Amino acid sequence: MSTYTETVGEKLKDLLVKTYDAEKGFIKAAENIDNRALKSYFKQKAQERYDFGHELKSEIKTFNQDIEKSGSVTGSAHRAWMDVKALFSSDNEESMLEEAIKGEKSAVNEYNNVIKETSLPLSTKTILESQKSKIEHGLSRIKTLEDIS
């Protein structure tokens, strides 16, 4: 296996793990919130990340690499932190939105780091740019949801 494939494959697998983390985080946020608009938003974002995961898995398989369906320890800790914040926060909705914004900004940075890989195949770059664009669109939408929470 060439270094190119290993490098790109490892970056994509890392992004896939973070995508699983985000999906689980959005599901957790939807479970911890009463506002119908926010609950709907978080459920939609969870589904979007589920779809992203399948796209990334297909792309990774083109590199003949093994795929593990699990999240990271960091993601599990973050979801536990969201549960604690929900339990003790008087403004649950605002804290969930803040966590979502923080996570989405981090995701955009992760995508940028992978996209700038010079040896990235065109098909991979197209998928990543499309997914990043959807995340950025979600960030602008979440700011309007902040106003109604």
Side-chain angles (χ1 to χ4, degrees):
M1 188 178 279
S2 70
T3 304
Y4 155 80
T5 301
E6 288 175 12
T7 301
V8 171
E10 288 304 314
K11 286 184 177 191
L12 290 177
K13 284 197 275 187
D14 189 44
L15 195 57
L16 180 61
V17 167
K18 290 174 181 171
T19 298
Y20 290 146
D21 286 342
E23 176 190 352
K24 292 173 188 173
F26 283 122
I27 290 168
K28 183 62 70 177
E31 291 170 355
N32 286 318
I33 211 152
D34 293 324
N35 180 297
R36 287 175 55 177
L38 293 177
K39 186 179 284 287
S40 174
Y41 174 79
F42 288 136
K43 285 181 178 180
Q44 181 267 325
K45 293 302 286 183
Q47 180 62 51
E48 179 181 81
R49 285 311 201 286
Y50 175 83
D51 296 340
F52 285 4
H54 281 281
E55 282 182 305
L56 289 171
K57 280 194 321 191
S58 292
E59 192 68 12
I60 290 167
K61 285 179 181 179
T62 66
F63 296 114
N64 297 319
Q65 298 204 5
D66 294 329
I67 299 169
E68 297 176 25
K69 179 158 173 55
S70 65
S72 67
V73 172
T74 305
S76 296
H78 188 163
R79 286 187 298 281
W81 174 240
M82 287 175 69
D83 283 342
V84 169
K85 280 181 96 170
L87 197 59
F88 295 107
S89 177
S90 61
D91 196 356
N92 184 24
E93 293 170 356
E94 186 174 335
S95 67
M96 291 295 150
L97 277 172
E98 287 171 6
E99 290 301 317
I101 290 169
K102 182 176 157 185
E104 293 294 80
K105 286 180 178 178
S106 176
V108 168
N109 288 334
E110 292 290 334
Y111 274 82
N112 283 334
N113 287 336
V114 178
I115 289 169
K116 72 181 179 188
E117 173 69 42
T118 56
S119 61
L120 208 58
L122 183 58
S123 63
T124 304
K125 188 171 186 175
T126 301
I127 289 168
L128 296 179
E129 286 176 342
S130 172
Q131 290 181 356
K132 184 184 92 157
S133 176
K134 290 175 184 174
I135 294 168
E136 289 171 330
H137 177 73
L139 261 172
S140 63
R141 182 166 172 234
I142 209 169
K143 291 184 189 326
T144 62
L145 291 172
E146 262 187 315
D147 296 336
I148 63 171
S149 68

